[in-house]
Amino acid sequence: MTDSGDFDAAWLPSAAFRAVGGRRVLMRAGAGPPADTVHRELADACERFGGRVVRDGVDGDFDLVLGPTGDDPGDEGFTLERRAGTTTVTASGGRGLLYGLFHVVRLGEDAFRGERAREVHRPALASRMLDHWDNVAVHPVMGQVERGYAGGSLFWADGRARGDLERVRAYGRLLAACGINAVALNNVNVHETEARLLTDRIGEVAAIADVLRPYGIRTHLSVTFAAPMVLGGLPTADPLDGAVRAWWAEATRRVYEEIGDFGGYVVKADSEGRPGPFAYGRSHADGANLLAAALEPYGGTVHWRAFVYDHHQDWRDRSTDRARAAYDHFTPLDGEFAPNAVLQVKHGPMDFQVREPVSPLIGAMPRTRVAVEVQATQEYTGQQRHVCWLGPMWSEVLRFRPDGGVSTGRLADGLVAVSNAGDDPFWTGHPLAQANLYAFGRLAWDPAADPRAVLDEWIALTHPGAPARLADGLHAVLDGSWRTYEKYTAPLGVGFMVQPGHHYGPSVDGYEYSPWGTYHFADRDGVGVDRSTATGTGYAGQYAEPWAGVYESPDTCPDELLLFFHHVPYGHVLHSGRTVIQHIYDTHFEGVEEAEEARRVWAGLADLVEPARHARVAERFEEQLRSAREWRDQVNSYFLRKSGVPDARGRTVH
Amino acid sequence: MTDSGDFDAAWLPSAAFRAVGGRRVLMRAGAGPPADTVHRELADACERFGGRVVRDGVDGDFDLVLGPTGDDPGDEGFTLERRAGTTTVTASGGRGLLYGLFHVVRLGEDAFRGERAREVHRPALASRMLDHWDNVAVHPVMGQVERGYAGGSLFWADGRARGDLERVRAYGRLLAACGINAVALNNVNVHETEARLLTDRIGEVAAIADVLRPYGIRTHLSVTFAAPMVLGGLPTADPLDGAVRAWWAEATRRVYEEIGDFGGYVVKADSEGRPGPFAYGRSHADGANLLAAALEPYGGTVHWRAFVYDHHQDWRDRSTDRARAAYDHFTPLDGEFAPNAVLQVKHGPMDFQVREPVSPLIGAMPRTRVAVEVQATQEYTGQQRHVCWLGPMWSEVLRFRPDGGVSTGRLADGLVAVSNAGDDPFWTGHPLAQANLYAFGRLAWDPAADPRAVLDEWIALTHPGAPARLADGLHAVLDGSWRTYEKYTAPLGVGFMVQPGHHYGPSVDGYEYSPWGTYHFADRDGVGVDRSTATGTGYAGQYAEPWAGVYESPDTCPDELLLFFHHVPYGHVLHSGRTVIQHIYDTHFEGVEEAEEARRVWAGLADLVEPARHARVAERFEEQLRSAREWRDQVNSYFLRKSGVPDARGRTVH
């Protein structure tokens, strides 16, 4: 791939290969898709930068040697060491070598300096998956990609397979370079068109899988639970029905005939109107195990989403709490799911808000494989028109310990993100949103990584040899951007306050009287949702200690989640020393000021950034500022009108 | 047309012709479309009910004689008298005879009893037009008919002309029977597809015009002001440009080649993003006169809509008032419009809300022809899921005297309604919404008519020979339904509070922070818009006396418009003796109770109404009640949360 072309090089510009490409490299590995990829990457880099690569040559005077190991760093792991002027990467297979190569690329010249004791690198999470909410055809309301803010689909055009898969190949390469190993190609809301990917149109899926396989990526499909009826003409989709089980077994057998390393299924069932096992009086374990059984002979996995709640709630009923739903539905089923079923749980109990507590369901199912789902596509975080780097948010989730740190186990078995990429030339609409895609992969590999270090890594790869002014500027623009976004949108964890439907821009009461279970309960005296056990919905009691206790009381609840857990008067004093109402005013003014400052910093980088990229970001900043001011003024006006409390600092509130 | 078939007989069931059809009838009239229609109606009725019709026969023993007159009751008028056992209708042309015939049908047996002195009937308003917001093709957001709640288009299917125009013929017949004489076939928002009706697709328009002509209806088209650019490839649409004028002249000539009695154009210009003369620094008189000049040689008219306002308003700016816009834009142009240009003014200054004052623009342009536009399609009045009979509302508008009754002139020269009809089997979605279509025609003919009498007329025609229980029940369900709808929706004239976009169902703050200029300014102390001259936007001063004075002060402003004109505390006492906040609670409870009572009355009519019709209305009542309760609870909760004032009667407010 060249740096020019129809799409941006993102974090793999050719200059990022300068250090590797100037070396004498020996590669010892058998043939096979990922190993061949490693070889081609090395060959391309060496051709460009004057190095030399030998495959399966004898030992000799090499700067870099990649090859098999007798140890076992795992299927995807690798070792790295440097002795006597030679850097050595070993792995037990091609995928490990691929990740090892990209690790060396990230290190740059550092990989070739001094001595380096043997390090073993292996991913903390086995499953590092991107879900594409791709509708294949253009949906009349949701467009081609549901909640997509980066152009159209990477995989389909006008409802048909793209003939040219070069962009998919480039995408796979980018994903491999940050450690992502699984992709689900289509929307979890499976409409009629996408349903057929499983059967008639499996050839299109196989073609994509062929392109992604060299990058160590297994392809998955979202399927409709009603497939035996919709596609198979059966009268039922009952998971305990013999004909239904036979249909899935046969359909799955045919999938694996086409795609031998097919990853498995993703299912949204009994969720926001999708069909599911409830219709037959069966449990979600019954439902998931039906698909797990079909996949088991081939080593496939079913990702079963836990996003089950009542989306026809009555706003008048304050006892029902959507936040409780996933925990209430699924914890009784712990131990009932098949070993190759993964429960896919959104990171928070609601729906990808800018601030939520970590879902109490995560950590509450020790006998179930769990994957945490985050949202790289910025549905509720500025829709790739606002800069909002999510690394710190995801890191907070991944570092959360349900028991407060008593055990040292990892939070989950997998990490899934809804992809933010599309056929936009910059991949992600907002060029700086590339950082989110990159950080997702890196944090899935190493959830303990410092997100600021990941950010700097992304900056260095994307802008090789960047002067300090550029690197510092990019860091300044991105590092605090999530908290800036939080400041000017819904305060103190209360969530939503967005325009219904498309979810862009403010509408404080937009979901307040809706059936969606997303309320703030602001009145003239106070605001927030009482989710305590003593006086509220009892949601706080779904956590283990110490969190149940911490969240139960406004005295111990962290400020940033106060309104998620408690309804308090506007005069309630936060740990910060400010009242709630003054916090609302202050943060909304601050958030806009911070966004203005970020825009100013970006403007100062014009001489250091490729013009088209600079212009795209500058244009997005204009919209971000307009929107941020709208958020500030609507939220502030709303609470001034309601509370009657003026801003202590006398700023303009309309 | 039979009573069965694909569409409802509405107010022309064959039984409505029983009295006429049993008579000996003489018709003296030359051939021609409307006269032939009269003859066919008579012949059909007589065949069905045993009467006899003779055309151009000699005098003899006839019960009913229709023929030409030496007097001149006008092009559309007729005379009626009864002497010596013979009822005589005379007119100067076929259209008058047609209206005379339908008048006799309405009278039923009364037309053939006793003696009747000569009466002259003529329409008070020359132009009685329906505008169809028909997109021809299905618009991705707005559907086939913008704000249509009665199925698809009457005229087009899948973007193409309907081959079968039988339904259009039946529609024309219904319109003639209530006095409507003009139809504009397509949406005032003219998209690419509809633009071509003017040129390439004029043949489709001609086919429809041919079907409507026998019913005395002239066909009009909505056109885009940019047509010379969009269709003609010119570089400008400047109304003073010679090539533009020539283009319109030639396009119009070709239209009249196809449709000799074409009615003219309807234009929405410089309105909600539509192109218009402002782009060229020209006035709306320049724009309208451009089209008037093209139409003048053929007797056509341009209806130029006055719906011009800033739809990108800043909600923070309380000095800008959308209500002022039409008056401010157009009154300086009085006297500049061509004689065949009609300024089409919405009845209220905002946009078809359930309660608005009459637009001050109406009556403020004595040297301009003005048509008042009302909305039969129930965009803001329940979308034909709620029963909402609009006769009383339109009657209030039509009886309004801008000078308080000093002069006795009529309010306007024409009345236009946005049609509520579509290809629904009941024409209007809600079968009872047929009454609105009927009342529109009758009130356009006679704006002084008592709307209750028009309602009873519609009931009698639609259910010939109905027992008193049915007639009384229908009257009870419909007569107060507009005020019932007003009670449970936005209070005291403040308007909106609807869900953005589709405008169905409540969202109190839905448009509060929007660019649309539609605000209520509720805070913890009070609610309403100060449009007084002394302290507000000055809108009240756009009225002549006595209205300027009446509206200026909360002491004299009618209760039902109080919040349209004034921002008052919740404790403000209305003329009714109730406080504003208690009025809000009371009317919202009452409105729901009244809707429940209407549903109960309807349920009691099951044995007297055709089952499919009864079921359709019953089903709509279920939705109306659900929606009305949602309105009640959201509005009441909103104002309780904001005001903190409890309901004095202790009812449940959530």
Side-chain angles (χ1 to χ4, degrees):
Chain A
M1 197 179 97
T2 63
D3 287 8
S4 61
D6 293 341
F7 33 85
D8 190 67
W11 51 88
L12 291 180
S14 54
F17 292 79
R18 183 178 303 275
V20 170
R23 257 67 193 193
R24 297 157 301 171
V25 184
L26 169 65
M27 179 171 168
R28 290 204 198 99
D36 291 346
T37 304
V38 175
H39 184 257
R40 198 175 62 247
E41 290 286 344
L42 289 165
D44 287 354
C46 288
E47 187 180 337
R48 185 178 296 264
F49 294 107
R52 180 168 58 84
V53 61
V54 177
R55 192 163 187 179
D56 299 323
V58 291
D59 282 345
D61 200 14
F62 291 104
D63 304 307
L64 174 62
V65 176
L66 300 96
T69 179
D71 299 354
D72 183 14
D75 177 39
E76 299 184 310
F78 61 90
T79 69
L80 174 71
E81 66 181 323
R82 180 168 172 83
R83 271 193 314 189
T86 299
T87 301
T88 304
V89 174
T90 72
S92 57
R95 293 209 286 170
L97 282 187
L98 185 68
Y99 294 128
L101 167 68
F102 284 119
H103 188 74
V104 171
V105 170
R106 278 195 293 273
L107 291 173
E109 289 297 336
D110 282 352
F112 303 100
R113 284 196 190 107
E115 300 280 296
R116 183 181 284 262
R118 184 166 180 278
E119 305 161 2
V120 179
H121 295 260
R122 53 168 67 95
L125 304 180
S127 173
R128 307 177 301 279
M129 181 157 75
L130 286 175
D131 283 2
H132 285 262
W133 286 356
D134 191 318
N135 288 327
V136 181
V138 177
H139 185 274
V141 175
M142 287 298 180
Q144 186 167 17
V145 181
E146 183 161 330
R147 311 302 179 191
Y149 314 106
S153 164
L154 287 166
F155 308 114
W156 286 276
D158 297 328
R160 286 192 291 273
R162 284 180 183 275
D164 178 4
L165 292 177
E166 263 321 291
R167 181 186 281 273
V168 175
R169 189 182 311 281
Y171 186 56
R173 183 170 174 259
L174 287 170
L175 301 192
C178 63
I180 291 163
N181 68 353
V183 166
L185 298 183
N186 63 308
N187 191 356
V188 291
N189 293 319
V190 183
H191 314 97
E192 210 171 328
T193 301
E194 310 94 274
R196 310 205 81 84
L197 294 176
L198 179 66
T199 52
D200 319 3
R201 298 180 65 170
I202 191 68
E204 299 170 27
V205 179
I208 294 166
D210 287 346
V211 169
L212 294 177
R213 187 174 300 111
Y215 298 102
I217 296 167
R218 290 173 79 178
T219 298
H220 299 239
L221 276 184
S222 295
V223 296
T224 168
F225 193 76
M229 301 166 75
V230 175
L231 300 172
L234 298 187
T236 177
D238 182 349
L240 302 192
D241 181 276
V244 169
R245 299 181 74 81
W247 188 89
W248 277 110
E250 175 61 13
T252 305
R253 188 188 66 73
R254 291 184 184 203
V255 169
Y256 278 92
E257 258 179 21
E258 297 288 326
I259 309 164
D261 63 346
F262 179 71
Y265 301 135
V266 180
V267 189
K268 177 177 180 179
D270 290 321
S271 171
E272 297 182 337
R274 296 287 117 196
F278 284 166
Y280 309 99
R282 312 303 183 189
S283 77
H284 275 245
D286 293 332
N289 293 346
L290 163 72
L291 300 182
L295 290 159
E296 193 275 334
Y298 314 100
T301 301
V302 57
H303 281 76
W304 189 267
R305 292 177 90 235
F307 190 50
V308 177
Y309 70 98
D310 176 6
H311 69 293
H312 295 300
Q313 189 175 326
D314 189 339
W315 59 267
R316 301 165 188 83
D317 164 23
R318 289 210 186 185
S319 67
T320 301
D321 183 0
R322 169 170 166 181
R324 293 185 56 115
Y327 182 99
D328 285 343
H329 278 298
F330 284 95
T331 52
L333 301 177
D334 189 30
E336 296 184 18
F337 286 91
N340 64 326
V342 174
L343 192 64
Q344 186 166 319
V345 184
K346 290 195 181 194
H347 69 82
M350 298 299 282
D351 192 16
F352 301 135
Q353 299 305 291
V354 68
R355 175 72 70 175
E356 294 187 42
V358 174
S359 169
L361 181 57
I362 301 169
M365 298 195 64
R367 295 181 293 155
T368 305
R369 286 174 67 189
V370 168
V372 174
E373 181 179 317
V374 300
Q375 196 180 40
T377 194
Q378 293 169 232
E379 177 177 0
Y380 292 101
T381 51
Q383 302 198 351
Q384 282 128 268
R385 287 179 257 187
H386 297 229
V387 58
C388 186
W389 186 58
L390 297 166
M393 179 194 192
W394 297 338
S395 179
E396 284 190 14
V397 171
L398 291 166
R399 294 181 195 211
F400 183 78
R401 290 291 162 264
D403 58 5
V406 174
S407 76
T408 54
R410 62 168 173 266
L411 187 71
D413 307 282
L415 192 65
V416 178
V418 185
S419 178
N420 64 352
D423 74 354
D424 172 66
F426 292 101
W427 295 98
T428 50
H430 199 309
L432 300 182
Q434 292 175 0
N436 287 327
L437 191 56
Y438 183 83
F440 166 74
R442 297 290 290 141
L443 290 171
W445 181 283
D446 179 10
D450 176 357
R452 296 164 59 100
V454 172
L455 173 59
D456 289 335
E457 195 180 278
W458 174 80
I459 291 170
L461 280 173
T462 304
H463 301 275
R469 181 159 66 87
L470 175 56
D472 294 350
L474 283 163
H475 190 101
V477 163
L478 282 159
D479 193 24
S481 59
W482 165 54
R483 286 176 191 275
T484 296
Y485 187 84
E486 180 182 23
K487 282 183 175 180
Y488 61 71
T489 58
L492 295 164
V494 78
F496 291 89
M497 300 191 169
V498 293
Q499 295 271 348
H502 57 68
H503 298 166
Y504 186 75
S507 178
V508 179
D509 272 2
Y511 277 101
E512 189 59 16
Y513 302 91
S514 81
W516 293 95
T518 51
Y519 315 119
H520 55 64
F521 298 128
D523 61 22
R524 73 197 321 255
D525 301 315
V527 56
V529 187
D530 185 354
R531 291 189 164 106
S532 71
T533 301
T535 57
T537 69
Y539 167 80
Q542 291 187 335
Y543 288 88
E545 293 297 348
W547 299 111
V550 166
Y551 294 144
E552 177 67 16
S553 163
D555 298 335
T556 50
C557 183
D559 282 354
E560 68 265 22
L561 290 170
L562 181 67
L563 301 185
F564 191 90
F565 283 101
H566 299 281
H567 186 92
V568 298
Y570 292 114
H572 175 92
V573 178
L574 298 167
H575 299 119
S576 70
R578 291 191 288 205
T579 61
V580 165
I581 187 70
Q582 193 56 40
H583 172 95
I584 291 173
Y585 297 143
D586 286 351
T587 52
H588 283 77
F589 284 107
E590 287 163 21
V592 171
E593 287 156 16
E594 289 170 13
E596 285 167 344
E597 170 62 13
R599 180 177 61 166
R600 197 193 59 74
V601 170
W602 182 259
L605 303 176
D607 56 323
L608 300 175
V609 178
E610 190 262 314
R613 174 186 290 257
H614 193 274
R616 172 73 76 91
V617 172
E619 160 207 314
R620 303 260 151 164
F621 263 122
E622 291 309 305
E623 166 55 20
Q624 178 176 356
L625 261 294
R626 184 206 62 75
S627 176
R629 291 182 187 123
E630 195 64 32
W631 270 101
R632 175 195 66 194
D633 291 345
Q634 286 200 28
V635 171
N636 284 351
S637 289
Y638 180 96
F639 284 103
L640 173 63
R641 288 191 191 180
K642 219 150 200 170
S643 72
V645 181
D647 173 34
R649 296 176 53 191
R651 292 161 292 195
T652 301
V653 178
H654 299 271
Chain B
M1 195 180 98
T2 64
D3 287 9
S4 61
D6 292 340
F7 32 86
D8 191 67
W11 52 88
L12 291 180
S14 54
F17 292 78
R18 183 177 303 275
V20 170
R23 256 69 194 193
R24 296 159 299 171
V25 185
L26 170 63
M27 179 172 166
R28 291 204 199 97
D36 291 347
T37 304
V38 175
H39 183 256
R40 199 176 60 248
E41 290 285 344
L42 289 166
D44 287 353
C46 287
E47 186 181 338
R48 185 177 296 264
F49 294 107
R52 178 166 60 85
V53 60
V54 175
R55 193 163 187 178
D56 298 322
V58 291
D59 282 344
D61 201 12
F62 291 105
D63 305 306
L64 175 62
V65 176
L66 299 96
T69 179
D71 299 355
D72 185 13
D75 177 38
E76 299 184 312
F78 60 90
T79 68
L80 174 70
E81 66 181 323
R82 181 167 171 83
R83 273 195 312 192
T86 297
T87 301
T88 304
V89 173
T90 72
S92 58
R95 294 208 287 169
L97 282 186
L98 184 68
Y99 294 130
L101 167 68
F102 284 121
H103 187 74
V104 171
V105 171
R106 278 194 295 273
L107 291 173
E109 289 298 335
D110 281 353
F112 303 100
R113 286 199 189 105
E115 299 280 297
R116 183 181 284 263
R118 184 165 179 277
E119 306 161 2
V120 178
H121 294 261
R122 53 169 68 96
L125 303 180
S127 172
R128 307 177 301 278
M129 180 158 75
L130 286 174
D131 282 3
H132 285 263
W133 286 356
D134 192 317
N135 288 325
V136 181
V138 177
H139 186 275
V141 175
M142 287 298 179
Q144 186 167 15
V145 181
E146 183 162 331
R147 311 301 179 190
Y149 315 105
S153 163
L154 287 166
F155 308 113
W156 285 277
D158 298 330
R160 285 192 291 273
R162 283 181 182 276
D164 178 4
L165 292 176
E166 262 321 292
R167 182 186 281 273
V168 175
R169 189 182 312 281
Y171 186 56
R173 183 169 174 259
L174 287 170
L175 301 192
C178 64
I180 292 163
N181 68 353
V183 166
L185 298 183
N186 62 308
N187 192 355
V188 289
N189 293 319
V190 183
H191 314 98
E192 210 171 327
T193 302
E194 310 94 274
R196 311 204 81 83
L197 294 177
L198 178 65
T199 51
D200 319 4
R201 298 180 66 170
I202 191 67
E204 299 170 27
V205 179
I208 294 165
D210 287 345
V211 169
L212 294 177
R213 187 174 298 109
Y215 298 101
I217 296 166
R218 288 174 79 178
T219 299
H220 300 240
L221 276 184
S222 294
V223 296
T224 167
F225 193 76
M229 301 166 76
V230 176
L231 300 173
L234 297 189
T236 179
D238 182 349
L240 302 193
D241 182 275
V244 168
R245 300 181 74 80
W247 187 88
W248 277 111
E250 174 61 13
T252 305
R253 187 188 67 74
R254 292 188 182 200
V255 168
Y256 279 91
E257 257 179 23
E258 297 288 327
I259 309 164
D261 63 347
F262 179 70
Y265 300 136
V266 180
V267 189
K268 176 178 181 179
D270 290 321
S271 171
E272 298 182 337
R274 296 287 117 196
F278 283 166
Y280 308 100
R282 311 302 183 191
S283 78
H284 275 247
D286 293 331
N289 293 345
L290 163 71
L291 301 182
L295 290 159
E296 194 275 334
Y298 315 101
T301 302
V302 56
H303 281 77
W304 189 268
R305 292 177 90 235
F307 189 52
V308 177
Y309 70 99
D310 176 6
H311 69 293
H312 294 301
Q313 189 175 327
D314 189 339
W315 59 267
R316 301 165 189 82
D317 164 21
R318 289 210 186 185
S319 66
T320 301
D321 182 1
R322 170 171 165 180
R324 293 185 56 114
Y327 182 99
D328 286 343
H329 277 297
F330 284 95
T331 51
L333 302 176
D334 189 31
E336 297 184 17
F337 287 92
N340 64 326
V342 174
L343 192 64
Q344 186 165 317
V345 183
K346 291 195 181 193
H347 68 83
M350 298 299 282
D351 192 16
F352 300 136
Q353 299 305 291
V354 68
R355 175 73 69 175
E356 294 186 43
V358 173
S359 170
L361 182 57
I362 301 169
M365 298 192 65
R367 294 180 295 155
T368 305
R369 286 174 66 189
V370 169
V372 174
E373 182 179 314
V374 300
Q375 196 180 40
T377 194
Q378 292 170 232
E379 177 177 1
Y380 291 101
T381 51
Q383 303 197 350
Q384 281 130 269
R385 288 178 257 187
H386 298 229
V387 58
C388 186
W389 187 58
L390 297 167
M393 179 193 192
W394 297 338
S395 179
E396 285 191 13
V397 171
L398 292 165
R399 294 182 195 211
F400 182 79
R401 290 290 162 265
D403 57 6
V406 174
S407 78
T408 54
R410 63 167 171 269
L411 187 70
D413 307 281
L415 191 65
V416 178
V418 185
S419 177
N420 63 352
D423 73 355
D424 172 67
F426 292 101
W427 295 99
T428 51
H430 199 309
L432 302 182
Q434 290 175 1
N436 288 327
L437 191 56
Y438 183 82
F440 166 73
R442 297 290 290 141
L443 290 171
W445 182 282
D446 180 10
D450 176 356
R452 295 164 59 101
V454 172
L455 174 59
D456 289 334
E457 194 179 279
W458 173 79
I459 291 170
L461 278 174
T462 304
H463 302 274
R469 180 160 67 86
L470 176 57
D472 293 350
L474 283 163
H475 191 101
V477 163
L478 283 159
D479 193 25
S481 58
W482 166 53
R483 286 174 191 275
T484 295
Y485 187 84
E486 180 183 25
K487 281 183 175 180
Y488 60 71
T489 58
L492 296 164
V494 77
F496 291 89
M497 301 191 168
V498 293
Q499 294 271 348
H502 57 68
H503 299 166
Y504 185 75
S507 178
V508 178
D509 272 2
Y511 277 101
E512 189 59 15
Y513 302 92
S514 81
W516 294 94
T518 51
Y519 315 119
H520 54 65
F521 299 127
D523 60 22
R524 73 196 320 255
D525 302 314
V527 57
V529 188
D530 185 354
R531 292 189 163 105
S532 70
T533 301
T535 57
T537 68
Y539 168 80
Q542 291 186 336
Y543 288 88
E545 293 297 349
W547 298 112
V550 166
Y551 294 144
E552 177 69 15
S553 163
D555 297 335
T556 49
C557 183
D559 281 353
E560 68 266 20
L561 289 170
L562 182 66
L563 300 184
F564 191 90
F565 283 100
H566 299 282
H567 186 91
V568 298
Y570 292 115
H572 175 91
V573 179
L574 298 166
H575 299 119
S576 69
R578 290 191 288 205
T579 61
V580 165
I581 186 71
Q582 193 57 39
H583 172 94
I584 291 173
Y585 297 143
D586 287 350
T587 51
H588 283 78
F589 284 108
E590 287 163 21
V592 171
E593 286 156 16
E594 289 170 13
E596 285 167 344
E597 171 63 12
R599 181 178 61 167
R600 198 193 58 72
V601 170
W602 181 258
L605 303 177
D607 56 323
L608 300 175
V609 178
E610 191 261 315
R613 174 185 290 257
H614 192 272
R616 172 73 78 92
V617 173
E619 161 206 313
R620 304 259 152 164
F621 263 123
E622 290 310 305
E623 167 54 20
Q624 179 176 357
L625 262 294
R626 185 206 63 74
S627 177
R629 291 182 187 123
E630 196 64 32
W631 270 100
R632 175 194 65 194
D633 292 346
Q634 286 199 30
V635 171
N636 283 350
S637 288
Y638 180 95
F639 283 104
L640 174 63
R641 288 190 190 181
K642 218 149 199 170
S643 72
V645 181
D647 172 34
R649 294 178 51 191
R651 292 161 292 195
T652 301
V653 178
H654 298 272

